[in-house]
Amino acid sequence: MASRKEAPSGKSLDSPVRQIQIEGLVVMKIIKHYQEEGQGSEVVQGVLLGLVVEDRLEITNCFPFPQHTEDDADFDEVQYQMEMMRSLRHVNIDHLHVGWYQSTFYGSFVSRALLDSQFSYQHAIEESVVLIYDPIKTAQGSLCLKAYRLTPKLMEICREKDFSADGLKKASVGYENMFEEVPIVIKNSHLINVLLWELEDKSTAADKHELLNLSSSTHLEKSLQMLMDRVDEMSQDINNCLFFIPLQYIQRRQQENAQRQSRGEPPLPEEDLSKMFKPPQPPPRMDTLLIASQLSTYCQTIKEFTSQNLGKLFMAEALQGTSSYS
Amino acid sequence: MISEDHVTLKTGVMMLKIQDLLLSDDEEDTKRVVRSAKDKRFEELTNLIKTIRNAMKIRDMAKCLEEFEQLCRAFLKSKTIMDKEGVPQFYIRLLADLEDYLNQLWEDKEGKKKMNKNNAKALSTLRQKIRKYNKDFETEIASYKEVQSCSPDAFTSSSGSDDDDDEGITAKSLLKKKPQEEEKKAPEASKFLKGAADEESESEDDEESEDWGSDSVDSGSESEDNEGAAASLAVVFLKKYDSRRKKHKKKERLEEEADEEAEAEEGGWEKVKGGAPMVKEKPKMFAKGTEINSAVVVKKLTEILQARGKKGTDRAAQIELLHALAGISNENNLGEGILIKIKFNIIASLYDYNPNLAAFMKPDMWKKCLECIDELMDILFANSNIFIGENIAEDSENLAISDQPFRVRGCILTLVERMDEEFTKIMQNTDPHSQEYVDNLKDEGRVCGIIDRLLQYLETKGSTEEVCRVYLRRIMHTYYKFDYKAHRRSLGLQGETKSEQDQEESEGEDSAVIMDRLCKFIYAKDRTDRIRTCAILCHIYHHALHSRWFQARDLMLMSHLQDNIQHADPPVQILYNRTMVQLGICAFRQGMIKDAHNALLDIQSSGRAKELLGQGLLMRNMQERNAEQEKIEKRRQVPFHMHINLELLECVYLVSAMLLEIPYMAAHEFDARRRMISKQFHHQLRVGERQPLLGPPESMREHVVAASKAMKMGDWRTCHSFIINEKMNSKVWDLFPETQCVREMLVRKIQEESLRTYLFTYSSVYDSISMETLSEMFELDLPTVHSIISKMIINEELMASLDQPTQTVVMHRTEPTSLQNMALQLAEKLGGLVENNERVFDLKQGVYGGYFNRDQKGGYQQKQSYQRGKHHSHQRDPHRSRSCSPVLLTCVGWMQLL
């Protein structure tokens, strides 16, 4: 591990990884893992293994975390990972830790937990990424796999643990520049490519038509539902902010001043509010930021989804038109 | 020496007390207490006088003033005794002396100059005070002075006689100050003292050495008490100084007094002496041979009554005594007047038996009281020439047998009311699940009987107010009872057996008729608001209990009690709550689900139904309520037999909430702003949802929740089976008098509401649906289905039209799909979010309203049009946007206000 760490040290710090190359094997393993263990909104996680080549992160293997159950509380995750990596090393597989993966339910993955663990990964191993796998979209015919990293700015903040409004402002971190997405390339060996070609030839047309499924409402509904929940949370946060400020007092003062003004008297001086009211704990900003980020991801997915679906609908319409002509 | 005298006097009294105790003569005992209370007061006074006199001696005016003020207060305190006994001579004498003394000091200019400032000031205030004060006693002081001036001899004797020995000393010391008088008085005073000492020894020696003992005055009472002592002292003096003239005067008074006392005490005294043998084994009331007439009995009565309420009075003995007196007066045929008076007092002392208001009477005591009242009523009914009333003054009573009708002070109504209250208290304090409670409850009939008799009596004799009060009592005993007889009659059933029929006939009119008559009388005649309010509430309750919903409702609405009941006192409020609940249950029975829900909402939503109905206290921590409050609250509790079943109440409420809420929820599934009709019901639903494992329902609530779930799916059969089954029958429905009707009504309501729910929930899946199918599904006849659907269409709840020829409902498909609904909701939420955000932004900027004033035309209008744009595809657009835009507008308006 130490040797690997030395290698990229000369690289530019702001983005040590510009591209991610994933082995087909890794994708297959992640999909299999979810298929076997995850269901519904449950999330599966695992470790990515690979190495860094110049500004490219190559992920060549992975292994899953075992599903947590209540009764094996004394299970040691770290021990398990070390054990796994050692075993893999014995069979001459890349054993270097380069990140982790996680499945998602309708694109909801931006959370405090993710932020924290990704931070600790990136803190320890600079090039780490998190792969987000969306099984639902994949089931609909389009593989959805995305790699994310924390931006250096956010890393800075996390390192200092300064989540106050001022800190965020100073670092100029907004919801849009919390995470950076790294482009992914899936690479297979030539032999596998040959096999795929062969398989494609053999497969029937129906197998490929999942992509053309026109039903969209359930997915959209679900996404909207989630979006709405987040919006509610957001509103709640904003409300908290509202009540954080002694609104009533300010209002009263404002009215009074207005009256005084109308009578031509000088307005009352603005007093220091913090003196009159014990300042309550300022509401934490990070959660709001995360929610906002999640909202934007939702919007992104919905946008993608709808644009795809619209394309499909137009296509279907065109097809129907032509078939009716003929 | 003098103080010794005092001691001996005291020991004398003590001895006598011990003797009495040994004899354990109740009569004596009570007697003594009266005296000792008086003694105490007099002692207080004399002590104060003594200190004043001392202060006078040393010319300490400040002290004098202070003491005098205390004296005045003490005198005020013993006012009641003074009223009876007259102002004691020694008091008058002090006043006179003090005034003289002060005047004298006032005149003495030189002395005044020598006085220090404090003293001089006190002197002037005291002088003014005493002048003012003495005006009240002008006549007494004048007569005292007169006596003093015309015959100093008489004065000394009278002073000696009317005073106790302490007074004697002070008198002497006072005399010392007036040297010109001293010579004359000193020997007399000393003689007097000697006399007093003699007297003491005499009393201890059992009056052996009396030299005047031949008198008819019984000497037994002499050292007994102050008064007695004073009187006999006077006798001693008069004897010794041969002032017979005085004696004659005194004698009359003495005879009277001694007569009375002797009557009371002779029994005891005779025994001490071991003299005349007892005639009766019972403690004798009157001296043997005393002519027993009404005057004597009345005197005796007042004497007994004086002990009432005093500390240490044996209340049981007092009651005994009164009973004995009643017996005596009965034996001697003194007439009903006396008897009634005694009875009144017996009942009053029975009530007094428990000194604590919070504690309840013992049932047997209460029963005695009941009997007494019964007897009293008997007498009153038997003799129509007796007038009783509270406002008959003590002295205008006519107790003796004469041509005039009897006049007796006392109010039977109050006694009966008190008896009734005690009954309630007994019921409150008996364990409702014991046999004892049942036994006590059996007496309720007797209470009712007495109230009925009283009612009859007062209807002929009483004033309107009294009639109102007794009517209210009657109503209070009637309103909560279900009239099974009338119910059966209304069903057209006759009593099954002959005896039952007889009973029916004998029982008289329906309670409804009685209630109506009594209440109407009260409405017309009552002047106090409280009685009328209670009567109205009881009337409503009674109507509601007997399912006369419309009468009950109209009465409630007409009375306008809902507006001002919060000003009433807690018991009335409890009654109001009970009435509302009963009204709600009545509405439910009649199938007025909405009314039922509204009536019960207030009580149920608080979650304190138990407390609000006065059926038990809620467990609360002690901070909120101290022991005192708890006692008060306990006193307000309604006795168990009048309770309204809380489970029934809750079930009725939940079922009516279910019938209202489930269709409403189905209709407004996507409405972000829907309000819940019943919080309580939602709470129950949530509790049901939280259950990790859903077994078959056990409790009433679980049944309702399970039924609600079934109804949500439009499954009326399951719903029905959850609401009406064995368990629920035994728990709830069988408690209604018309069980079958209620169940039928419920089934029908469930069918109807399930149909509505079904249409709301599944209308989007249908293009059209045949009404016949619906009527089959819900087992409703076609016209009903038709009417329900038509109503829904008219109310714009269902977007559909009826196709007459095919009997089908054609859906219009104007309802937005769930996706569209979702989008609408999202838009609404986003609107809120933006708004909130802008408010926060504004706050940050510190510019109030500026942003909105500036952007109002732009920002909001735009947003609204955006929303309209969203709605364009739907026909129900206007309706929807109407529901959104007012909110936005109010927000804007609010912002402008800022």
Side-chain angles (χ1 to χ4, degrees), chain B residues 360-428:
Chain B
F360 63 105
M361 275 170 96
K362 299 264 176 317
D364 49 335
M365 283 298 265
W366 180 78
K367 266 178 202 146
K368 255 191 229 165
C369 169
L370 208 63
E371 274 158 26
C372 241
I373 292 178
D374 235 357
E375 281 165 31
L376 191 59
M377 298 292 296
D378 282 338
I379 299 170
L380 286 178
F381 270 106
N383 304 281
S384 55
N385 60 342
I386 299 174
F387 288 110
I388 53 170
E390 279 175 299
N391 37 16
I392 296 174
E394 198 89 22
D395 39 349
S396 70
E397 282 184 331
N398 184 12
L399 302 173
I401 305 172
S402 60
D403 295 339
Q404 268 109 33
F406 292 108
R407 291 169 67 84
V408 184
R409 181 186 165 84
C411 180
I412 181 139
L413 178 58
T414 319
L415 293 179
V416 172
E417 278 178 343
R418 180 76 196 272
M419 181 270 297
D420 192 27
E421 273 156 29
E422 289 296 341
F423 176 69
T424 314
K425 261 192 230 170
I426 291 172
M427 295 318 277
Q428 279 170 357

Side-chain angles (χ1 to χ4, degrees), chain B residues 87-330:
Chain B
V87 183
Q89 201 67 44
F90 59 82
Y91 190 74
I92 298 297
R93 208 173 51 180
L94 176 91
L95 292 180
D97 287 348
L98 195 61
E99 198 177 5
D100 286 348
Y101 173 68
L102 287 173
N103 284 338
Q104 201 182 315
L105 272 184
W106 196 252
E107 303 298 302
D108 184 9
K109 298 279 181 209
E110 271 179 38
K112 232 167 85 180
K113 266 175 204 163
K114 270 184 221 159
M115 263 189 216
N116 62 26
K117 208 175 164 190
N118 224 356
N119 249 357
K121 205 174 153 194
L123 173 66
S124 58
T125 20
L126 187 57
R127 192 166 152 268
Q128 278 173 357
K129 265 204 175 149
I130 197 137
R131 255 196 205 161
K132 215 182 269 171
Y133 194 77
N134 279 5
K135 264 180 197 153
D136 295 340
F137 302 93
E138 227 158 5
T139 49
E140 283 97 333
I141 291 170
S143 69
Y144 160 74
K145 280 190 174 160
E146 193 187 347
V147 169
Q148 193 186 26
S149 58
C150 74
S151 91
D153 209 45
F155 152 64
T156 20
S157 69
S158 79
S159 81
S161 64
D162 278 346
D163 246 289
D164 64 6
D165 29 358
D166 285 344
E167 195 48 29
I169 320 162
T170 44
K172 207 178 99 189
S173 57
L174 179 73
L175 292 174
K176 266 186 196 158
K177 272 201 197 140
K178 300 175 180 172
Q180 76 274 15
E181 277 181 31
E182 200 178 10
E183 269 93 6
K184 226 194 300 180
K185 282 188 182 170
E188 284 164 8
S190 63
K191 267 175 199 162
F192 148 66
L193 289 168
K194 206 169 128 202
D198 276 350
E199 204 272 324
E200 288 320 309
S201 59
E202 277 160 20
S203 69
E204 275 177 72
D205 298 341
D206 228 1
E207 291 119 307
E208 219 81 332
S209 63
E210 294 167 296
D211 52 349
W212 72 93
S214 59
D215 203 283
S216 66
V217 177
D218 198 320
S219 55
S221 61
E222 273 160 5
S223 56
E224 169 65 22
D225 57 82
N226 237 341
E227 191 82 2
S232 41
L233 272 173
V235 174
V236 173
F237 268 94
L238 293 167
K239 281 272 177 190
K240 286 199 171 161
Y241 296 99
D242 247 338
S243 45
R244 289 268 166 200
R245 172 184 57 85
K246 192 81 190 165
K247 193 192 162 189
H248 276 296
K249 256 197 211 164
K250 282 258 159 198
K251 210 172 151 187
E252 281 170 24
R253 194 171 71 90
L254 273 174
E255 254 169 351
E256 244 177 44
E257 216 168 75
D259 197 32
E260 176 193 326
E261 269 146 29
E263 281 158 18
E265 287 149 26
E266 202 167 36
W269 279 100
E270 298 284 339
K271 268 191 182 173
V272 175
K273 285 178 184 170
M278 296 288 295
V279 184
K280 287 180 191 167
E281 60 283 0
K282 267 205 290 182
K284 223 168 79 179
M285 290 279 185
F286 302 102
K288 195 187 157 206
T290 314
E291 194 203 341
I292 295 173
N293 55 26
S294 48
V296 172
V297 174
V298 169
K299 206 163 260 170
K300 179 73 194 161
L301 183 64
T302 40
E303 192 182 293
I304 294 170
L305 289 181
Q306 268 165 20
R308 187 182 160 188
K310 300 266 166 65
K311 236 184 224 172
T313 312
D314 186 351
R315 290 181 293 267
Q318 210 183 4
I319 292 164
E320 278 298 305
L321 218 57
L322 285 167
H323 270 298
L325 198 63
I328 289 172
S329 65
N330 220 5

